[in-house]
Amino acid sequence: MKLTKNFSEIHLDDIPLVGGKNASLGEMFSELSSKGIMVPDGFAVTSEGYWNFLNGNGLVPKLADLLSQLDLETFNNLSDIGATARQLLLGASFPKDLGDEIISAYKQLEERSGKTVSLAVRSSATAEDLPTASFAGQQESYLNVQGEENLIMTCHRCYASLFTDRAIKYRADNGFDHMKVALSIGIQIMVRSDKSCAGVMFTLDPDTGFDKVALIAGAWGLGENVVQGSVNTDEYLVYKSVIGKVKQPIISRKLGSKEQTMIYAEKEISEISKPEDAIVNLATPLERQQHYILDDEEVVQLAKWAVIIQEHYQRHMDIEWAKDGVSNQLFIVQARPETVHSQRKSKGIFKEYRIREKGELLCQGIGLGNSVTSGIARLLKSPKEIHKLNAGEILITRRTDPDWDPILKKAAGIVTDQGGRTSHAAIVAREVGAVGIVGTGNATKVIQDGQLITISTAEGDTGYIYDGKGSWDEQEIDTSKIEIPQTQIMLILAHPDKAFRYSMLPNSGVGLMRMEFIINNVIRIHPMALHHFDQLADDGVKNEIEDLTHHYPDKKDYFIHKLAEATATIAAAFYPKDVIVRMSDFKSNEYANLMGGKSFEPEEQNPMIGFRGASRYYHPLYKEAFEMECQAMKMVRDDMGFSNVKLMLPFVRTVNEATSVIALMKDQGLARGENDLQLYMMIEIPSNALLAEEFAKHFDGFSIGSNDLTQLTLGADRDSELLSEIFSPFDPAVMQLIRMSIEKAKSAGLKIGLCGQAPSDYPEYSRFLVECGIDSISFNPDALLNGIKNIGAAEKNISNIANNAL
């Protein structure tokens, strides 16, 4: 039998012959090159070559006997058995006929490429890259291999790597017979990403399983830094279905610090005893750290390829990519099935965690998933300290690689100094169900071995590590069993980093997206300070702003792009359902707390009824900032294609004020009715309810802000403990204004909803709203289920009364 096969001869059904990795490379090379996907040429040494090697040296019975002695309970002898197995293979002779065929295939590869090539030599087990078991990183790979002798030496080492400790443990854990798994070797032209960049991408969001986006992550240099989690990566989210249909399908960019760049070491293969000796990590110059690794066109190109690969394989995929720094071309160098979300059986189960008590914040990083746990911190420097970690403890280390795999199933949590959402530690944490926080920068310095800690990833994209044992609530929701009422149930959202998760709850969209929360938490800088950056007098503030915005020469673009991307993330999560975005509604004292804000805000005695809402938008003190808000919303709707975004004006005091702001929005390219743009208005001032029929001439819908309406109707500060008995949503005057607003909206043919806590807290309040004919009610996520229950009960009660009356 032929012992080598060119990629052009290999397809997916060749897994028994060439392993999952090589079968996938051959499949893409053969079937997807015609669709524009670039896969470096190469060939595979088949599993027959492996068996020839073992049988020719009489190794099969020796290995079988050795592996039968493995302690499957404690794995205490794993290290000894692995070392002995590897030495058996390394000490055996490499068959001449096999070596001759490899050299012949190598020469043909050079003839096809027309030049002397540098090679990537990768191991591919015949049971790997299956939908249920990734086998990622279990065997060794070698880079920058040149010359015939070096190639054979590297192939020999690949065979031995089938018996790394981690590979032996992985097969045992997943029920694979050691002696029925063979090793194929992939030999591929190297992509010179050492001179450019490389990374990974997923055809879904790997934390939530949200499948409408592709996540692309990467760093400068060879991709091993990304996979191993040695660096904090650049990340891009691309909304897949609009690629090629809209101007800008990228909905999020995050600049990573990319502190290190991996390049080739100047060594001969004979000097290299293990793969990591062939490469070296250099400190990335600061200027390069502050630049994105890819331009928008390249990001979209990769995402387009991800969609093609997903469609071809008919499943979600985990893909490795690389950019050649010589040719500047992008390549796909590996694709394997995604193995976490595709294997989840309880897709309708939504788990929610809510922290109640927490100790001092020790450090923070990138949080994975949504969970909380407490336990003893165990600081480990290497996998050799496996015996120190007890089941249920929290592993704290600089970073992990596949050598750590035998230990990770014991950990309740995994915390690393280095790494991003696509790093080895992140992927394994998801696979084993551990709470994971990566890229903290300093966890190993601030956390003591044996310290009791709590780690939380339930508070957004950021994961937090707290001192001591915290307390939290857990709620498991089976969304398939929730009966949805006729009244539309919508969400109140402020944080884009939770949007994908919350989109999986029962909902009809987002009834209130609070823009000011994005400005406060994501942007953090007063928009006027960005607009007039060059005129800022305070050098300290100016330096702080420069630190955040250095990659935006025009500081206004920082505000516009960040606001657009955060909004687009929420719009994408719920598309095509409505996402009603309320334009900013900070009060002057809140705006002043933003970076640079004190220079642009008046001091007011009563900010609650002062310079806020629509009155700011056309005033010279804020008009330029409002125009930036409009430009961001235009980008979301027109460039990114999220026409499901509706815009809402808060605190509109008069009809003339409404028309002034609407005219200003039209000047900024946001004309009501164009590209299906709908404008809404908050009803939160008594004048809004009293003149609702006049306001209705200028808007497509209303949303009742019950808290402000209550306090302004009763003249009672909603935050005053002294007036808490007076501040009541059941006050007859307030309820009359709400009923009036609903009736007038219905008469004018407008939609009307309500945002607030009362319908979830009080069943009778839900019934009042349903009786009035409210179209929708928006809840904070933690109040959603109770709200659904109350509204459903109200609808049934009203229906029963109506039926009895008949």
Side-chain angles (χ1 to χ4, degrees), residues 33-52:
S33 295
S34 61
K35 297 186 178 181
I37 292 179
M38 301 282 287
V39 178
D41 195 1
F43 64 95
V45 183
T46 69
S47 57
E48 287 298 319
Y50 171 78
W51 292 122
N52 281 8

Side-chain angles (χ1 to χ4, degrees), residues 274-290:
K274 48 187 184 295
E276 53 266 34
D277 293 340
I279 50 183
V280 61
N281 257 328
L282 302 178
T284 308
L286 182 61
E287 182 183 358
R288 222 170 183 223
Q289 289 184 41
Q290 295 177 347

Side-chain angles (χ1 to χ4, degrees), residues 70-81 386-387:
L70 181 66
D71 183 343
L72 297 175
E73 292 295 323
T74 66
F75 291 93
N76 283 340
N77 61 348
L78 173 62
S79 179
D80 291 339
I81 285 180
I386 184 171
H387 59 282

Side-chain angles (χ1 to χ4, degrees), residues 328-341:
N328 285 323
Q329 287 185 309
L330 291 166
F331 291 89
I332 299 299
V333 296
Q334 195 173 139
R336 64 174 70 90
E338 188 274 336
T339 57
V340 178
H341 295 284

